[in-house]
Amino acid sequence: NMENNQGNKLGKKIKKLRTDLGLSQDELARKADIPYTTLTKIETGVIKKPSVYVVAKIAKALNTTLDNLIE
C-alpha cells in the first residue's frame, strides 16, 4: 500500500547514500554513533518515524543535510 511505501522512503534514501559512499551498515552506524540495530530498522522501514535527533546524526555521517533526507 501507498502508506507503507511512503514510510520507507527515508530508509531507501539512507541506504542509497550509504552505498554510494561505500559504507556498510556497521560502518555508518558507528560513524553516526547510533546502534546498528536502529540503522537496520530504519533502512528496512521497521522504524517508520525515527527521531529527528537520530536522523540528524545519520545525515551528518552521510555528509548530507537533515532536510535532504526527510524531504
Side-chain angles (χ1 to χ4, degrees):
N1 63 27
M2 281 305 293
E3 161 91 17
N4 215 351
N5 198 10
Q6 190 60 23
N8 200 27
K9 220 167 75 172
L10 173 66
K12 287 194 172 77
K13 196 173 260 194
I14 289 170
K15 185 173 187 177
K16 183 189 184 312
L17 290 167
R18 174 175 64 73
T19 53
D20 285 351
L21 288 171
L23 293 169
S24 68
Q25 287 179 320
D26 190 50
E27 287 168 330
L28 177 57
R30 268 189 278 201
K31 201 174 168 198
D33 193 30
I34 60 168
Y36 170 77
T37 50
T38 300
L39 176 63
T40 59
K41 285 176 181 172
I42 292 170
E43 281 197 5
T44 54
V46 174
I47 298 176
K48 297 232 185 318
K49 293 197 186 313
S51 75
V52 170
Y53 174 67
V54 167
V55 180
K57 288 171 88 169
I58 293 171
K60 190 172 178 219
L62 290 169
N63 305 318
T64 189
T65 61
L66 178 63
D67 288 344
N68 181 40
L69 283 184
I70 59 179
E71 74 184 10

